[in-house]
PDB file of all heavy atoms in Angstrom:
ATOM      1  N   GLU N  20     111.036 100.927 106.575  1.00  0.00           N
ATOM      2  CA  GLU N  20     110.804 100.501 105.246  1.00  0.00           C
ATOM      3  C   GLU N  20     109.483 101.225 104.655  1.00  0.00           C
ATOM      4  O   GLU N  20     108.439 101.205 105.314  1.00  0.00           O
ATOM      5  CB  GLU N  20     110.728  98.988 105.061  1.00  0.00           C
ATOM      6  CG  GLU N  20     111.874  98.251 105.219  1.00  0.00           C
ATOM      7  CD  GLU N  20     111.605  96.790 104.711  1.00  0.00           C
ATOM      8  OE1 GLU N  20     110.544  96.303 104.512  1.00  0.00           O
ATOM      9  OE2 GLU N  20     112.687  96.108 104.629  1.00  0.00           O
ATOM     10  N   PRO N  25     103.535 101.415  91.969  1.00  0.00           N
ATOM     11  CA  PRO N  25     103.252 102.346  90.863  1.00  0.00           C
ATOM     12  C   PRO N  25     102.056 102.051  90.197  1.00  0.00           C
ATOM     13  O   PRO N  25     101.428 100.986  90.339  1.00  0.00           O
ATOM     14  CB  PRO N  25     104.571 102.132  90.016  1.00  0.00           C
ATOM     15  CG  PRO N  25     104.917 100.714  90.260  1.00  0.00           C
ATOM     16  CD  PRO N  25     104.593 100.431  91.611  1.00  0.00           C
ATOM     17  N   ARG N  36     111.992 113.277  98.150  1.00  0.00           N
ATOM     18  CA  ARG N  36     111.763 113.697  99.563  1.00  0.00           C
ATOM     19  C   ARG N  36     111.367 115.086  99.676  1.00  0.00           C
ATOM     20  O   ARG N  36     111.997 116.018  99.011  1.00  0.00           O
ATOM     21  CB  ARG N  36     113.008 113.364 100.304  1.00  0.00           C
ATOM     22  CG  ARG N  36     112.975 113.597 101.776  1.00  0.00           C
ATOM     23  CD  ARG N  36     114.251 113.111 102.576  1.00  0.00           C
ATOM     24  NE  ARG N  36     115.385 113.833 102.231  1.00  0.00           N
ATOM     25  CZ  ARG N  36     116.508 113.728 102.992  1.00  0.00           C
ATOM     26  NH1 ARG N  36     116.515 112.758 103.914  1.00  0.00           N
ATOM     27  NH2 ARG N  36     117.603 114.336 102.769  1.00  0.00           N
ATOM     28  N   GLN N  37     110.460 115.380 100.550  1.00  0.00           N
ATOM     29  CA  GLN N  37     110.030 116.786 100.779  1.00  0.00           C
ATOM     30  C   GLN N  37     110.071 117.039 102.229  1.00  0.00           C
ATOM     31  O   GLN N  37     109.262 116.500 103.004  1.00  0.00           O
ATOM     32  CB  GLN N  37     108.661 117.059 100.153  1.00  0.00           C
ATOM     33  CG  GLN N  37     108.179 118.562 100.212  1.00  0.00           C
ATOM     34  CD  GLN N  37     106.927 118.699  99.411  1.00  0.00           C
ATOM     35  OE1 GLN N  37     106.053 117.927  99.445  1.00  0.00           O
ATOM     36  NE2 GLN N  37     106.905 119.925  98.735  1.00  0.00           N
ATOM     37  N   SER N  38     110.999 117.883 102.561  1.00  0.00           N
ATOM     38  CA  SER N  38     111.172 118.344 104.062  1.00  0.00           C
ATOM     39  C   SER N  38     110.551 119.659 104.297  1.00  0.00           C
ATOM     40  O   SER N  38     110.511 120.448 103.387  1.00  0.00           O
ATOM     41  CB  SER N  38     112.799 118.361 104.365  1.00  0.00           C
ATOM     42  OG  SER N  38     113.400 117.142 104.007  1.00  0.00           O
ATOM     43  N   GLY N  40     110.045 123.162 104.791  1.00  0.00           N
ATOM     44  CA  GLY N  40     110.892 124.325 104.362  1.00  0.00           C
ATOM     45  C   GLY N  40     111.818 123.932 103.304  1.00  0.00           C
ATOM     46  O   GLY N  40     112.565 125.076 102.815  1.00  0.00           O
ATOM     47  N   GLN N  50     114.407 102.039  86.558  1.00  0.00           N
ATOM     48  CA  GLN N  50     113.884 101.642  85.177  1.00  0.00           C
ATOM     49  C   GLN N  50     113.790 100.202  85.119  1.00  0.00           C
ATOM     50  O   GLN N  50     114.791  99.480  85.255  1.00  0.00           O
ATOM     51  CB  GLN N  50     114.763 102.048  84.079  1.00  0.00           C
ATOM     52  CG  GLN N  50     114.216 101.772  82.697  1.00  0.00           C
ATOM     53  CD  GLN N  50     112.918 102.261  82.397  1.00  0.00           C
ATOM     54  OE1 GLN N  50     112.505 103.538  82.698  1.00  0.00           O
ATOM     55  NE2 GLN N  50     111.994 101.516  81.843  1.00  0.00           N
ATOM     56  N   GLY N  51     112.472  99.593  85.291  1.00  0.00           N
ATOM     57  CA  GLY N  51     112.424  98.177  85.611  1.00  0.00           C
ATOM     58  C   GLY N  51     112.913  98.031  86.911  1.00  0.00           C
ATOM     59  O   GLY N  51     112.598  98.746  87.889  1.00  0.00           O
ATOM     60  N   SER N  62     122.796 109.366 102.072  1.00  0.00           N
ATOM     61  CA  SER N  62     123.911 108.689 102.620  1.00  0.00           C
ATOM     62  C   SER N  62     123.654 107.107 102.409  1.00  0.00           C
ATOM     63  O   SER N  62     122.748 106.713 101.793  1.00  0.00           O
ATOM     64  CB  SER N  62     123.859 108.938 104.215  1.00  0.00           C
ATOM     65  OG  SER N  62     122.787 108.236 104.800  1.00  0.00           O
ATOM     66  N   SER N  66     118.695 102.965 101.197  1.00  0.00           N
ATOM     67  CA  SER N  66     118.815 102.054 100.010  1.00  0.00           C
ATOM     68  C   SER N  66     117.453 101.810  99.424  1.00  0.00           C
ATOM     69  O   SER N  66     116.385 102.138 100.088  1.00  0.00           O
ATOM     70  CB  SER N  66     119.417 100.737 100.414  1.00  0.00           C
ATOM     71  OG  SER N  66     118.613 100.053 101.442  1.00  0.00           O
ATOM     72  N   VAL N  74     106.616  96.910  92.475  1.00  0.00           N
ATOM     73  CA  VAL N  74     106.697  97.516  93.826  1.00  0.00           C
ATOM     74  C   VAL N  74     108.118  97.906  94.227  1.00  0.00           C
ATOM     75  O   VAL N  74     109.080  97.142  93.832  1.00  0.00           O
ATOM     76  CB  VAL N  74     106.132  96.533  94.895  1.00  0.00           C
ATOM     77  CG1 VAL N  74     106.431  96.958  96.320  1.00  0.00           C
ATOM     78  CG2 VAL N  74     104.635  96.180  94.634  1.00  0.00           C
ATOM     79  N   ASP N  86     116.163 112.843 109.011  1.00  0.00           N
ATOM     80  CA  ASP N  86     115.480 112.001 108.028  1.00  0.00           C
ATOM     81  C   ASP N  86     113.922 112.309 107.977  1.00  0.00           C
ATOM     82  O   ASP N  86     113.221 111.806 107.152  1.00  0.00           O
ATOM     83  CB  ASP N  86     115.664 110.481 108.217  1.00  0.00           C
ATOM     84  CG  ASP N  86     117.083 110.004 108.153  1.00  0.00           C
ATOM     85  OD1 ASP N  86     117.837 110.724 107.490  1.00  0.00           O
ATOM     86  OD2 ASP N  86     117.415 109.079 108.868  1.00  0.00           O
ATOM     87  N   ALA N  88     110.650 113.709 107.065  1.00  0.00           N
ATOM     88  CA  ALA N  88     110.237 114.305 105.857  1.00  0.00           C
ATOM     89  C   ALA N  88     109.041 113.522 105.275  1.00  0.00           C
ATOM     90  O   ALA N  88     108.699 112.502 105.822  1.00  0.00           O
ATOM     91  CB  ALA N  88     111.402 114.264 104.829  1.00  0.00           C
ATOM     92  N   ALA N 100     112.983 111.480  79.155  1.00  0.00           N
ATOM     93  CA  ALA N 100     112.823 112.878  79.519  1.00  0.00           C
ATOM     94  C   ALA N 100     111.546 113.416  78.855  1.00  0.00           C
ATOM     95  O   ALA N 100     111.152 113.267  77.699  1.00  0.00           O
ATOM     96  CB  ALA N 100     113.967 113.753  79.059  1.00  0.00           C
ATOM     97  N   GLY N 101     110.696 114.047  79.706  1.00  0.00           N
ATOM     98  CA  GLY N 101     109.423 114.516  79.332  1.00  0.00           C
ATOM     99  C   GLY N 101     108.234 113.626  79.614  1.00  0.00           C
ATOM    100  O   GLY N 101     107.069 114.083  79.471  1.00  0.00           O
ATOM    101  N   GLY N 109     102.348 109.797  99.321  1.00  0.00           N
ATOM    102  CA  GLY N 109     103.511 110.040 100.245  1.00  0.00           C
ATOM    103  C   GLY N 109     103.331 109.341 101.597  1.00  0.00           C
ATOM    104  O   GLY N 109     102.351 108.788 102.043  1.00  0.00           O
TER     105      GLY N 109
END
Side-chain angles (χ1 to χ4, degrees):
Chain N
E20 283 191 353
R36 179 170 74 172
Q37 189 171 35
S38 308
Q50 180 59 44
S62 74
S66 63
V74 172
D86 300 335

